[in-house]
Amino acid sequence: MGRRFLGATLAAAALLATAASPAGAVPPSFHGKAGQVVTVVADSASATTAVLTAWQRTGTGWTRAYGPVRAFVGQDGIGRASESTSHTPAGVWTLTEAFGIRPSNGTRLPYRRVTTSDWWVSDVKSPYYNKHFSCVPGTCPFNEAAGEDLGKAGPVYDHAVVLDYNRSPVVPGAGSAFFLHVSNGKPTAGCVSIPGTDLDAVMRWLDPARHPVVDISVSG
């Protein structure tokens, strides 16, 4: 199902300065150990755009740390993901790693710089399904036509964060290669995408010590 995805760079102080939730906004209700939540909320299940906002937990609740930012989601909207649809998966997923064709943008997440020998496997018959795999094109132990060569994706993968959907456990056919990545101004095949400067700022804000998650939903 190979795929898809989070002006001048904002100053760190501006990014990290917390702000009260705007009137009518609902801070994330996710509980647990997450100290950072990125919400992606669409107006309807079939909408191909959504609003992305970053929130951080404080001693008194949640405050807005970044956004709102207009985001693109899957061509089929938000819903149940699979290899046969272009839905962005609804739910709460951890954010534990990042990658990109370009050098790291300063993210604190574990970062892998990718080349044309880096793949995300979407071959449902492969034991490497929905995993990263390194191999030279033409030598890979899976159906390359059912995988995504990350290094060939172009600017949309300059930087990206992996959404940990369908990774533990992995269910063959339930969908693969879902990322938060750079927008090309169009709906995705299932990822969440935002402008590159916004993505860089969000990635620098994400802190693995605060167990960040993404919460993808439909309003109402």
Side-chain angles (χ1 to χ4, degrees):
M1 191 177 176
R3 297 319 201 191
R4 355 198 250 220
F5 333 78
L6 246 143
T9 301
L10 297 181
L15 172 64
L16 295 176
T18 58
S21 303
V26 180
S29 58
F30 181 82
H31 298 291
K33 63 183 179 180
Q36 294 179 325
V37 177
V38 176
T39 56
V40 179
V41 182
D43 288 337
S44 69
S46 60
T48 57
T49 60
V51 175
L52 181 148
T53 311
W55 306 87
Q56 56 193 22
R57 191 195 295 269
T58 69
T60 57
W62 291 92
T63 57
R64 181 166 51 88
Y66 192 80
V69 176
R70 183 172 182 259
F72 283 98
V73 294
Q75 296 172 4
D76 294 334
I78 291 175
R80 184 173 182 177
S82 73
E83 290 298 331
S84 60
T85 71
S86 293
H87 281 120
T88 296
V92 178
W93 323 109
T94 54
L95 302 171
T96 57
E97 62 178 295
F99 69 87
I101 295 172
R102 295 173 61 87
S104 173
N105 53 12
T107 184
R108 286 171 285 182
L109 295 175
Y111 186 83
R112 174 187 292 114
R113 190 171 184 187
V114 297
T115 69
T116 54
S117 293
D118 288 282
W119 300 75
W120 206 273
V121 182
S122 296
D123 179 358
V124 297
K125 297 181 180 179
S126 171
Y128 307 110
Y129 177 70
N130 202 24
K131 293 180 173 66
H132 169 266
F133 197 91
S134 295
C135 52
V136 176
T139 70
C140 299
F142 52 83
N143 179 3
E144 294 180 13
E148 184 169 20
D149 188 328
L150 302 178
K152 289 184 177 180
V156 293
Y157 285 172
D158 277 353
H159 297 109
V161 179
V162 179
L163 311 186
D164 289 337
Y165 165 79
N166 194 29
R167 300 192 75 192
S168 182
V170 175
V171 178
S176 59
F178 292 93
F179 312 122
L180 172 62
H181 66 79
V182 179
S183 174
N184 64 1
K186 301 176 182 179
T188 71
C191 293
V192 178
S193 68
I194 60 176
T197 50
D198 292 309
L199 178 62
D200 287 344
V202 171
M203 287 179 67
R204 293 188 189 105
W205 169 77
L206 290 170
D207 181 357
R210 303 201 68 188
H211 310 287
V213 300
V214 60
D215 186 342
I216 303 171
S217 64
V218 176
S219 64

